[in-house]
Amino acid sequence: MQIRLTGLTVTALGASALVASPAGAQTLDLTITIPKLSVAEYHRPYVAVWLEKEGAAPRSLAVWYDFDMKANEGTKWLRDVRQWWRAAGRSMSFPADGVTGATRAPGTHKLTFTAGRGPMPALSGGKYTLVVEAAREVGGRELLRLPFSVPAGGTATAQGSGELGAVRLTVRR
């Protein structure tokens, strides 16, 4: 099959090169470590994970908080996850389908986001930043940024110093 376009002739197989389509990398594998802290009063942190691309609205991928508290009381502390709250949180309604999750205990947690499923958009070519922010009642707040580009893919890592431990992102097709 051929497609004739303003005097050019291309085969159907090669026509996809003319149509804007998402770039190759479409799966994000994320590992987040929440350290065990020796403090008098420990509460599990609220954690937000979102995707930024210059010129586009940020996309929330995951928000861990006490979503099962009566009268939706857990949402009142979401604004303590300050950077995420300013970027995307205050415009959302909760619980957000595919985004909301329970707080997590100290340990290593794995998340996978696939383009077109849940909150993960198809990624077009360009530079992105995956942001992980944690805030804890009677504790601190920490934010880590993991830059990556599409279609290059690859791995990005960051090391927290308080509320977050090691965070690792692998971008793949």
Side-chain angles (χ1 to χ4, degrees):
M1 178 178 175
Q2 291 185 335
I3 299 173
R4 192 166 291 277
L5 184 66
T6 62
L8 296 173
T9 302
V10 292
T11 63
L13 200 55
S16 63
L18 298 175
V19 179
S21 65
Q26 298 298 316
T27 300
L28 306 179
D29 293 317
L30 180 65
T31 303
I32 299 172
T33 302
I34 297 175
K36 183 175 178 132
L37 302 175
S38 295
V39 293
E41 184 178 351
Y42 181 79
H43 299 272
R44 292 178 178 184
Y46 280 25
V47 176
V49 177
W50 73 97
L51 192 60
E52 294 178 343
K53 182 179 183 188
E54 188 173 312
R59 295 286 296 255
S60 297
L61 300 178
V63 179
W64 302 342
Y65 72 98
D66 284 335
F67 70 90
D68 57 352
M69 295 178 78
K70 68 180 179 183
N72 215 12
E73 288 182 25
T75 59
K76 85 178 176 185
W77 291 289
L78 282 174
R79 65 187 61 145
D80 289 346
V81 188
R82 289 184 225 149
Q83 294 297 315
W84 166 78
W85 183 257
R86 290 183 192 128
R90 63 180 155 201
S91 63
M92 295 177 66
S93 60
F94 290 95
D97 188 29
V99 173
T100 294
T103 56
R104 310 273 174 105
T108 301
H109 305 279
K110 294 183 179 187
L111 302 169
T112 297
F113 303 101
T114 302
R117 293 187 193 157
M120 174 78 175
L123 302 178
S124 58
K127 294 181 179 180
Y128 292 84
T129 302
L130 185 101
V131 187
V132 179
E133 183 177 17
R136 191 171 50 84
E137 182 181 353
V138 196
R141 186 182 72 79
E142 188 162 24
L143 181 133
L144 297 175
R145 296 181 160 280
L146 295 106
F148 67 95
S149 61
V150 172
T155 299
T157 60
Q159 179 65 47
S161 60
E163 301 301 326
L164 293 168
V167 176
R168 179 184 176 93
L169 171 68
T170 301
V171 182
R172 59 184 171 90
R173 291 177 187 245

